[in-house]
Amino acid sequence: MFRNQYDTDVTTWSPAGRLFQVEYAMEAVKQGSACVGLRSATHAVLAAANKANNELSSHQRKVFRVADHAGVALAGLTADGRVLSRFLRNECINHAFVYDAPLPISRLALRLADKAQVCTQRSWKRPYGVGLLVAGLDESGAHLYYNCPSGNYFEYQAFAIGSRSQAAKTYLERRFEKFNDYTPDQLIRDALSAIKETLQGEKLTSSNCTIAIVGTKEDGTVEPFSMIDSQRIQEIIDSMEAADEAPPADVPMQEEGGDAPPADAPPADAPAADAAPMDI
């Protein structure tokens, strides 16, 4: 994909004030499998769709533990994501060794953004072709950040990246106002529902998604960042499907051989008196 003479170098500005190589890296994020992140006041959840290149290969790992209090999910070039996750892991280890305390999530996201930004102003480097959702817990609560290949980073209540992520964003935008008070199970259910929106009709199972969670326990201690096992994920998916198939509680079921309708009742196929023409 060749646009013009201004996209041959990452340090060359176009007359319109754009860096095309950085924009191409941001497009690479949109080609990766979808990832979703959401947080409450005490917990943060990361979810990723597992996509294999073909039927004979396994999927690439998309969720990585960085420290006991933090983890990342990535969309885009997985090889770049592994390098950056290793960088974040080293930053957390070094900070804990020097200060004997976990690295705050905001500072972790900042260091990742600084590393990505350097690649946008060196002619012998290329931008990282991966976007990362950084989720974690510190003294101020749970946090979720999105780090872009351009070096920008933003904090979110909930966010989705990757292919067909707009459907997941639309789902999250309808529900995010209540996330702050959610329990861990409610966060996991909404994360699975958001991932399901990106599958385009494909059935959601424990084999095509990954879920990880970090948060605080009831006694105030940190619940380490950990992957949820596939058996529990499948149980949650089954309960969600059962809830969707169950009839509404406020609609009574008519028993067989029940009482006949009153004599003055209108015919069953007659439209209601105040019904609009399209309601029948």
Side-chain angles (χ1 to χ4, degrees):
M1 179 177 171
F2 185 83
R3 187 172 294 184
N4 51 42
Q5 68 268 32
Y6 300 106
D7 68 353
T8 58
D9 196 303
V10 72
T11 61
T12 302
W13 289 95
S14 75
R18 300 166 65 179
L19 292 172
F20 289 120
Q21 288 290 334
V22 176
E23 294 181 15
Y24 296 161
M26 295 168 68
E27 285 296 320
V29 177
K30 300 178 182 178
Q31 305 302 319
S33 56
C35 294
V36 172
L38 56 160
R39 67 173 177 88
S40 65
T42 59
H43 288 77
V45 170
L46 293 175
N50 300 333
K51 292 286 186 180
N53 290 333
N54 57 65
E55 295 181 357
L56 299 179
S57 69
S58 62
H59 64 271
Q60 291 280 349
R61 184 180 174 189
K62 297 291 184 179
V63 182
F64 295 88
R65 175 187 173 278
V66 171
D68 282 345
H69 70 296
V72 297
L74 56 93
L77 191 57
T78 309
D80 285 1
R82 290 198 304 270
V83 171
L84 291 177
S85 65
R86 190 180 305 116
F87 165 78
L88 293 177
R89 195 174 296 118
N90 289 335
E91 290 295 307
C92 289
I93 292 173
N94 292 336
H95 188 277
F97 179 79
V98 174
Y99 299 102
D100 195 23
L103 180 62
I105 305 303
S106 59
R107 196 174 303 173
L108 184 66
L110 175 60
R111 293 184 183 180
L112 176 60
D114 288 343
K115 185 175 179 63
Q117 193 276 335
V118 169
C119 295
T120 67
Q121 58 180 23
R122 299 286 189 271
S123 60
W124 60 92
K125 293 185 177 183
R126 65 162 176 83
Y128 290 105
V130 65
L132 288 94
L133 292 175
V134 183
L137 187 75
D138 56 27
E139 294 179 351
S140 58
H143 298 277
L144 175 69
Y145 287 90
Y146 168 55
N147 281 75
C148 182
S150 64
N152 291 323
Y153 70 104
F154 311 91
E155 185 170 12
Y156 287 93
Q157 184 79 43
F159 198 59
I161 58 176
S163 61
R164 298 187 291 276
S165 60
Q166 185 56 50
K169 290 179 188 176
T170 302
Y171 174 84
L172 295 172
E173 287 169 359
R174 295 197 304 263
R175 305 174 64 89
F176 79 96
E177 294 179 352
K178 300 179 181 178
F179 285 169
N180 230 29
D181 301 322
Y182 267 23
T183 64
D185 283 344
Q186 288 175 314
L187 287 176
I188 294 171
R189 287 173 179 270
D190 271 9
L192 287 170
S193 297
I195 287 293
K196 185 178 180 180
E197 294 290 329
T198 69
L199 297 180
Q200 284 191 336
E202 182 181 348
K203 183 176 176 60
L204 178 66
T205 65
S206 60
S207 62
N208 60 9
C209 66
T210 302
I211 304 287
I213 187 170
V214 63
T216 55
K217 299 179 182 178
E218 294 181 357
D219 58 0
T221 58
V222 176
E223 180 182 349
F225 185 90
S226 59
M227 308 292 178
I228 299 178
D229 62 88
S230 58
Q231 181 178 356
R232 184 186 173 194
I233 293 176
Q234 190 59 52
E235 290 174 356
I236 296 174
I237 293 174
D238 293 340
S239 65
M240 291 168 56
E241 293 176 349
D244 291 339
E245 295 173 358
D250 56 347
V251 178
M253 299 295 291
Q254 184 177 0
E255 298 181 0
E256 294 183 3
D259 297 337
D264 57 348
D269 57 348
D274 56 348
M278 296 302 296
D279 289 340
I280 59 177

